[in-house]
Amino acid sequence: MALQDIKAALFHGVTSFIILKHIHARLFRYHLNQNHYLLNRVLKSAFHFNHPDYATYVFSQTYEPNIYLYNTMIRGLVSNDCFKQAIEFFHFMRKEGFLPNNFTFPFLLKSCSRNVDFGLGVKVHSLAVKMGLEDDVFVQTGLVGFYSKLESLDDAQKVFDEIPTKNVVSWAAIMSGYIGTGRFRDAVNLFRKSLEMDLRPDSYTLVRVLSACTQLGDLAAGEWIHKYAVDIGMGRNVFVNTCLVDMYAKCGSMEKARAVFEEIRERDIVTWGTMIQGYAANGLPKEALEIFHTMLKENLRPDCYVIVGVLSACARVGALELGEWAISMMDRDEFLYNPVMGTALVDMYAKCGKIDVAWEVFKGMKAKDLIIFNAIISGLAMTGHVKAAFSCFGLVEKCGFKPDENTFLGLLCGCTHAGLVDEGHRYFYGMSCLYSLPPAIEHYGSMVDLLARAGLLCEAQRLIDGMPLKANAIIWGALLGGCRLHKDTQLAEHVLKKLIELEPWNSGNYVLLSNIYSSNQKWNESENIRSIMHERGIQKVRGYSWIEIDGIVHEFLVGDTSHPMSDKIYKKLVEMAKELRAAGYVPTTEFVLFDVEEEEKEHFLSCHSEKLALAFGLIGSKPNTVIRIVKNLRVCGDCHTAIKLISKITGREIIVRDNNRFHHFIDGSCSCRDYW
């Protein structure tokens, strides 16, 4: 290789590290191994190929390095995340009598922030002032970034305010500081102010401010930034679009998230995972699973983030087979060593009624944290294994964890499930007395639910009246559910007034009171409730039920006829009705809202979504398999009675989950205490 070729290769790009080593060897042959200009190119190339050790060795062989070589070393080490070594080079440079310049300071300050070395950073700031570089935009921006990342926002703001000509990087640095300390609204306001200064943000700045909108749940601000990004030609930037998908998904706008997603030409696994997690988190499990199947058709292998979303969706609809198929795509050890994945797996098995498998996964976890303890406690509680949940609570502190609000929420849910009032009192009052955890609104909701279900309606009302928090719809809804169970119409009317004040748009409040009137044969009052709903344009929430057959999730609506096997399903319903009547079943028509003829009431009851799903399950599954159904609303008393009898007639084990409450039917009995 001729000398001219060596210089051309160094200045026009070296294609591999091996070629770089050959070029370096040639420099020795031509006695150019001490040429600072050429050595600088060698050092940069070595860092480019991620070989900081080689660059350090080359530098060590240099007899009289200059400031440019020192700067290249410090910058290269920082770019390779060798922050400690970068600081060591700075100290070595100072010992050799070299003063840093405006190119040295930004990378040195980055090393200080990454090493969390506040003292050195302040000394560097002082040195910059002594050298007269306090007005240099690069140095000032580096200082803003340093103080911001070490959460010294007052100092960061002072430096930022002193920058005479602020650039995009300066604004991004101070915004990142506010985001890092949880001051998301201030970050969004700073972004608006930067636009007023006629600055054009880069993709990094847009991503950061969109993340602030996500944390705030500020959909309006996110939409405005989206429009602005499109206006300035950033509408197709993959990083901005991925962040937009995440923002829309976490703000609950899955339609807009999907629209942005469809515009992304080259979607990576992160974008797919964001969509899957978004659908799962926003109560759209079928859509989450559909997009997962679409992703697989694109020949993309799922990562842990995708699998967590898929398992969450499977848990929601009780899709055990599909969940286990998704699990098979990952190494089993990833679940046992990754607490996030392990928690998702425990949750999926628990919500599919396989608590024994969930427990085995929990026991096998190599790395347990409080979150996975909470998952298994909640799983045990919701499936009726309340004593086991209490025992697991004892393990929490033995393993060195302090229980949190979610731990006690799981325990209280277990107490509610089993009707254990004394234990509920102990955990509810113990969380504040023994663990200094003031009960949140969710804990009050669980306690009111427990007392109301047990018929202690007066005590439940006293608890609400004495709350330090303002009772929300969940609290009053729990009390209203107890009123329905124990047919206390007078108290229910009082509670409903509170509920209508809080959420006048919620049909459930009206329907529940109407059902109470119906069960007491007060048809005029029931009709009046229906009239109010009609006048206000309030629609009753439709009942959905899901059932998985051969890895495919089927969805049924009340009175649904859209299923391809609808004729066979309704034929099966007729057969079931005959067998039920022969076994002594009489439809409990008090659960029908409308004041119509008894025969018509029975027709309404027979078309409930859980009965349609059950009929399909009896047709489409093998006789010895468990039938698992998930419903979005509470299972009505008539369906509960009918399913109990069907389990006895058919000899099938049937698991129905509604609102995270399990009804486990075996041979004509049920594990729950909802209808005692």
Side-chain angles (χ1 to χ4, degrees):
M1 183 182 287
L3 177 59
Q4 210 61 28
D5 294 333
I6 294 173
K7 290 182 177 179
L10 281 172
F11 288 103
H12 293 99
V14 182
T15 57
S16 71
F17 180 62
I18 294 174
I19 292 175
L20 175 65
K21 291 174 75 174
H22 285 303
I23 292 172
H24 187 208
R26 290 281 178 171
L27 291 181
F28 280 93
R29 180 176 178 181
Y30 291 107
H31 305 293
L32 295 171
N33 55 302
Q34 295 299 319
N35 184 301
H36 290 170
Y37 197 56
L38 296 177
L39 281 177
N40 202 36
R41 301 301 304 182
V42 171
L43 294 175
K44 287 182 178 180
S45 296
F47 285 120
H48 173 75
F49 292 116
N50 299 315
H51 283 278
D53 292 341
Y54 188 80
T56 303
Y57 174 75
V58 171
F59 183 89
S60 69
Q61 301 300 309
T62 307
Y63 299 143
E64 296 180 357
N66 59 16
I67 186 63
Y68 300 106
L69 292 181
Y70 274 109
N71 280 348
T72 298
M73 286 300 300
I74 292 171
R75 178 175 183 172
L77 289 166
V78 169
S79 66
N80 280 266
D81 296 336
C82 301
F83 305 109
K84 187 176 180 181
Q85 294 94 314
I87 291 172
E88 288 172 356
F89 257 89
F90 169 71
H91 289 308
F92 184 57
M93 181 185 79
R94 295 289 290 125
K95 286 180 183 178
E96 292 295 312
F98 289 100
L99 287 172
N101 58 23
N102 59 342
F103 293 105
T104 316
F105 283 111
F107 296 101
L108 182 59
L109 288 165
K110 185 175 181 179
S111 295
C112 292
S113 62
R114 293 297 292 269
N115 272 359
V116 198
D117 194 337
F118 188 79
L120 179 59
V122 171
K123 289 178 183 177
V124 171
H125 187 179
S126 176
L127 181 60
V129 172
K130 289 178 182 177
M131 293 181 63
L133 294 172
E134 68 272 20
D135 293 330
D136 184 274
V137 67
F138 297 108
V139 176
Q140 287 175 317
T141 301
L143 286 166
V144 171
F146 162 72
Y147 285 122
S148 295
K149 286 172 184 173
L150 294 190
E151 300 185 2
S152 183
L153 271 183
D154 289 340
D155 292 321
Q157 189 67 56
K158 286 177 185 176
V159 176
F160 179 78
D161 292 339
E162 291 172 0
I163 301 177
T165 307
K166 302 173 180 67
N167 59 21
V168 172
V169 181
S170 308
W171 284 96
I174 191 68
M175 277 191 283
S176 293
Y178 280 110
I179 291 170
T181 53
R183 294 171 62 176
F184 306 112
R185 180 61 62 194
D186 290 329
V188 175
N189 292 337
L190 272 172
F191 177 74
R192 291 180 186 272
K193 191 174 179 181
S194 73
L195 299 187
E196 292 170 4
M197 306 292 289
D198 292 328
L199 279 173
R200 182 189 174 98
D202 57 11
S203 61
Y204 175 79
T205 306
L206 287 171
V207 166
R208 295 298 287 155
V209 73
L210 282 170
S211 72
C213 294
T214 302
Q215 293 294 329
L216 289 168
D218 191 341
L219 181 60
E223 289 176 325
W224 165 70
I225 294 167
H226 183 188
K227 183 179 181 302
Y228 175 77
V230 172
D231 290 343
I232 65 171
M234 285 278 191
R236 293 190 177 276
N237 184 283
V238 65
F239 301 108
V240 173
N241 278 342
T242 299
C243 197
L244 280 168
V245 170
D246 185 59
M247 184 274 297
Y248 280 127
K250 288 178 179 172
C251 288
S253 181
M254 287 309 300
E255 286 185 11
K256 291 184 178 178
R258 186 62 179 261
V260 176
F261 175 79
E262 295 294 347
E263 290 177 1
I264 301 175
R265 292 179 180 177
E266 295 183 9
R267 306 173 190 129
D268 59 11
I269 196 67
V270 175
T271 314
W272 286 95
T274 301
M275 283 299 297
I276 292 167
Q277 288 260 21
Y279 276 128
N282 283 287
L284 298 165
K286 277 199 71 179
E287 289 81 352
L289 297 176
E290 284 169 4
I291 203 165
F292 173 60
H293 286 298
T294 305
M295 185 199 84
L296 295 178
K297 289 177 183 177
E298 299 281 335
N299 294 320
L300 282 170
R301 181 179 176 83
D303 62 1
C304 62
Y305 189 70
V306 168
I307 291 296
V308 167
V310 170
L311 292 179
S312 176
C314 290
R316 177 92 180 196
V317 296
L320 179 63
E321 289 180 48
L322 185 56
E324 291 186 325
W325 175 65
I327 293 164
S328 68
M329 297 181 185
M330 307 291 287
D331 188 332
R332 187 77 175 180
D333 285 346
E334 290 193 57
F335 291 95
L336 300 181
Y337 284 93
N338 185 326
V340 176
M341 293 180 69
T343 300
L345 189 56
V346 167
D347 185 60
M348 190 273 291
Y349 276 124
K351 287 180 178 173
C352 288
K354 298 284 287 184
I355 192 62
D356 53 337
V357 183
W359 178 252
E360 289 303 316
V361 173
F362 171 77
K363 286 201 302 182
M365 289 294 296
K366 307 299 181 186
K368 291 186 179 76
D369 58 10
L370 181 60
I371 296 172
I372 197 165
F373 267 102
N374 289 346
I376 193 63
I377 288 171
S378 295
L380 290 165
M382 77 170 70
T383 52
H385 298 79
V386 183
K387 289 185 179 179
F390 295 163
S391 298
C392 199
F393 173 66
L395 290 174
V396 171
E397 288 188 297
K398 286 183 181 178
C399 292
F401 299 111
K402 181 184 177 182
D404 65 4
E405 292 85 353
N406 290 326
T407 315
F408 285 99
L409 190 59
L411 294 168
L412 288 171
C413 287
C415 293
T416 303
H417 190 288
L420 302 175
V421 176
D422 291 340
E423 288 81 353
H425 278 131
R426 189 171 75 248
Y427 287 121
F428 180 77
Y429 294 107
M431 66 182 291
S432 55
C433 296
L434 301 177
Y435 297 93
S436 301
L437 293 170
I441 198 79
E442 294 84 3
H443 302 98
Y444 279 101
S446 289
M447 198 62 198
V448 169
D449 193 20
L450 170 60
L451 295 171
R453 283 175 182 273
L456 303 171
L457 298 175
C458 292
E459 185 182 345
Q461 190 169 9
R462 285 198 301 272
L463 181 63
I464 294 172
D465 293 339
M467 281 173 54
L469 308 165
K470 183 180 179 181
N472 63 5
I474 296 172
I475 301 289
W476 290 112
L479 182 55
L480 188 59
C483 293
R484 178 202 173 283
L485 190 62
H486 298 284
K487 299 183 180 180
D488 190 332
T489 310
Q490 186 176 355
L491 180 58
E493 289 183 80
H494 166 71
V495 174
L496 183 63
K497 290 177 183 178
K498 297 287 186 181
L499 280 168
I500 290 174
E501 288 176 13
L502 291 167
E503 44 178 32
W505 43 264
N506 190 337
S507 66
N509 305 329
Y510 302 88
V511 172
L512 190 52
L513 182 63
S514 186
N515 282 344
I516 292 172
Y517 284 137
S518 297
S519 64
N520 286 284
Q521 307 298 309
K522 295 183 177 181
W523 298 113
N524 290 334
E525 290 88 340
S526 179
E527 176 62 30
N528 184 47
I529 295 295
R530 287 173 55 211
S531 298
I532 293 172
M533 291 177 68
H534 179 72
E535 289 169 8
R536 298 182 180 179
I538 299 166
Q539 297 294 319
K540 184 177 181 292
V541 177
R542 301 185 76 183
Y544 288 87
S545 289
W546 295 279
I547 184 171
E548 180 194 34
I549 302 292
D550 296 330
I552 299 172
V553 177
H554 300 262
E555 182 178 83
F556 292 92
L557 278 162
V558 59
D560 199 350
T561 57
S562 62
H563 195 277
M565 294 180 64
S566 188
D567 291 342
K568 291 183 178 179
I569 290 168
Y570 278 91
K571 185 179 178 181
K572 187 67 177 177
L573 282 175
V574 173
E575 292 176 13
M576 286 164 50
K578 290 178 181 177
E579 292 177 346
L580 285 169
R581 287 190 183 279
Y585 161 76
V586 178
T588 316
T589 54
E590 69 180 60
F591 291 100
V592 178
L593 171 63
F594 311 113
D595 182 12
V596 294
E597 296 298 323
E598 290 295 312
E599 185 178 344
E600 195 172 350
K601 291 179 187 177
E602 292 181 23
H603 172 71
F604 280 120
L605 288 170
S606 68
C607 297
H608 279 188
S609 62
E610 58 266 50
K611 284 180 180 170
L612 293 171
L614 177 55
F616 179 64
L618 291 169
I619 294 169
S621 63
K622 295 176 182 178
N624 59 343
T625 57
V626 179
I627 295 176
R628 291 182 172 83
I629 298 169
V630 175
K631 186 175 181 182
N632 68 326
L633 303 177
R634 192 169 183 264
V635 173
C636 82
D638 177 77
C639 288
H640 190 273
T641 302
I643 296 171
K644 272 205 301 185
L645 271 175
I646 291 168
S647 74
K648 185 174 184 178
I649 293 167
T650 61
R652 300 291 292 269
E653 182 180 351
I654 304 167
I655 297 175
V656 181
R657 192 183 88 231
D658 64 345
N659 297 327
N660 283 346
R661 185 173 297 278
F662 273 86
H663 309 273
H664 196 168
F665 303 92
I666 302 177
D667 194 28
S669 64
C670 182
S671 63
C672 80
R673 297 172 62 88
D674 277 8
Y675 302 95
W676 26 297

